Amino acid sequence: MSVEKPPVEICKGVNGLDKVVLREVRGSSAEVYLYGGHVTSWRNDHGEELLFLSTKAIFKPPKAIRGGIPICFPQFGSHGNLDQHGFARNRFWSIDTNPPPFPTVSTNKALIDLIFKPSEEDLKTWPHSYEFRLRITLGPGGDLMLTSRIRNIDAKPLSFTFAYHTYLSVSDISEVRVEGLETLDFLDNLKAKERFTEQGDAITFESEVDKIYLATPTKIAVIDHEKKRTFVLRKDGLPDAVVWNPWEKKAKSMADFGDDDYKHMLCVEAAAVEKVITLKPGEEWKGRLELSAVPSSYRSGQLDPQRVLQG
Ligand code: BG6
């Protein structure tokens, strides 16, 4: 008789780092490292990996893990004086055993609550007191949900930018199309953050891309033609969407990224970059990402205009 595995298991991962495994009864799973509060794996009920993880990922502080879903906080990219993408992605988070309740009670069993609080060292580089709570949930259909709650517990305002730096696994980047961002304005990181407007149809890839799309819909689709799979990203509180693929030359310059890895990944990052989030003392911000992977019977034009709200 097989012993059923628990919906939440705390164990050791690569290099003995603490890891949480979430399992849903139908077979989907997710893995979360306390280092970075970092989701490194999300599998569907056939056991297929849906997130990209670099073949050369380094699971060792202070390097952030290359792949999965790093958290960019309190700064996205180089939009500030801190290190690229802030420091939450290379700090040790803790399990939050008694998180403040959510407005609706979750019936999901496969979930974990994490918390990150700045250390004395962190306060020297960024003198702000806050509590960053992250709930990671695997839904019954295998959907992956991340909810961040950041509370300013300081006596002064707290300003930050943020991204869920989601690395999606794709069969072949040249067979991928993104829907939901066409005709939007974006800042081009490859052109000194200059502002442009996207032209034409859905977005496809044939060279390096590093764009911050502004005021994006709450729903974005990433269609992998070869795999016949569509990722649907739904987001809340996160108006922007970063699209990144380093392509061949940059891939070769990154020590923790395989030379050919760029062919099998695409980052589509639910973010708040252009408009900095500012919290008054005692205020809380919430940013939510919901990821689902569905077979590509999903066609162009199925984005529901009712849900295309400006963030
Ligand atoms: C993306 C940025 O979000 O992350 C890119 O837009 C950056 O400019 C990429 O190169 C990877 O960043 P890092 O710090 O993880 O190498």
Side-chain angles (χ1 to χ4, degrees):
M1 199 179 80
S2 69
V3 182
E4 207 171 284
K5 292 189 172 164
V8 182
E9 187 184 358
I10 298 160
C11 52
K12 297 286 179 196
V14 181
N15 291 336
L17 293 172
D18 291 319
K19 157 176 115 167
V20 181
V21 182
L22 303 178
R23 292 187 192 90
E24 206 284 319
V25 276
R26 280 181 237 166
S28 55
S29 65
E31 295 190 0
V32 187
Y33 276 73
L34 296 194
Y35 178 57
H38 194 138
V39 177
T40 55
S41 169
W42 169 41
R43 289 178 189 273
N44 63 16
D45 50 10
H46 299 296
E48 295 165 333
E49 181 59 63
L50 302 168
L51 295 178
F52 164 87
L53 183 65
S54 166
T55 51
K56 291 189 177 169
I58 299 165
F59 286 72
K60 206 170 171 192
K63 188 83 191 142
I65 301 164
R66 175 73 63 197
I69 314 181
I71 302 282
C72 303
F73 172 85
Q75 174 186 302
F76 174 78
S78 57
H79 293 245
N81 304 324
L82 299 172
D83 285 347
Q84 158 104 337
H85 290 329
F87 47 78
R89 65 175 178 164
N90 56 7
R91 292 293 185 274
F92 284 95
W93 293 53
S94 309
I95 292 174
D96 192 5
T97 46
N98 193 17
F102 281 77
T104 46
V105 179
S106 175
T107 50
N108 294 297
K109 290 200 180 100
L111 68 81
I112 189 78
D113 284 291
L114 302 182
I115 183 162
F116 168 62
K117 291 186 199 169
S119 66
E120 290 296 317
E121 261 327 285
D122 294 334
L123 288 168
K124 283 183 199 155
T125 43
W126 206 60
H128 289 282
S129 297
Y130 55 88
E131 290 169 344
F132 184 157
R133 291 190 160 81
L134 172 64
R135 171 170 286 189
I136 300 152
T137 309
L138 198 58
D143 294 355
L144 183 68
M145 290 157 281
L146 287 88
T147 307
S148 289
R149 296 185 288 175
I150 298 172
R151 181 173 290 281
N152 181 5
I153 55 168
D154 216 321
K156 59 186 181 211
L158 175 77
S159 295
F160 59 88
T161 49
F162 179 95
Y164 290 114
H165 196 309
T166 308
Y167 287 76
L168 298 171
S169 169
V170 298
S171 51
D172 176 357
I173 186 66
S174 20
E175 297 288 326
V176 170
R177 194 172 86 224
V178 177
E179 285 189 3
L181 304 176
E182 50 278 9
T183 75
L184 298 182
D185 279 6
F186 65 87
L187 308 179
D188 197 338
N189 273 333
L190 302 178
K191 292 187 181 140
K193 303 190 179 97
E194 210 185 316
R195 192 176 181 125
F196 297 92
T197 303
E198 194 62 68
Q199 308 289 338
D201 292 337
I203 290 141
T204 54
F205 302 91
E206 50 190 29
S207 59
E208 182 181 1
V209 56
D210 191 352
K211 297 177 177 177
I212 304 165
Y213 289 90
L214 307 172
T216 60
T218 53
K219 186 171 167 182
I220 298 167
V222 178
I223 299 150
D224 182 341
H225 288 291
E226 200 174 298
K227 262 259 144 63
K228 295 189 170 52
R229 173 187 291 148
T230 297
F231 291 102
V232 182
L233 285 81
R234 292 187 180 83
K235 58 190 180 58
D236 194 28
L238 297 159
D240 306 321
V242 183
V243 176
W244 180 62
N245 183 295
W247 220 257
E248 198 172 357
K249 192 160 156 246
K250 190 156 191 194
K252 288 196 172 130
S253 74
M254 290 157 59
D256 60 349
F257 199 83
D259 287 358
D260 283 337
D261 279 354
Y262 77 95
K263 294 178 184 164
H264 307 298
M265 55 74 69
L266 178 67
C267 286
V268 181
E269 312 167 30
V273 182
E274 193 201 23
K275 292 192 184 100
V276 169
I277 293 158
T278 299
L279 300 178
K280 292 187 200 127
E283 238 182 351
E284 186 180 80
W285 169 84
K286 199 149 117 192
R288 197 176 139 79
L289 170 67
E290 204 175 304
L291 290 170
S292 42
V294 295
S296 285
S297 50
Y298 188 98
R299 288 185 323 277
S300 167
Q302 271 188 279
L303 290 178
D304 177 358
Q306 293 308 313
R307 291 195 61 150
V308 181
L309 307 168
Q310 298 301 310

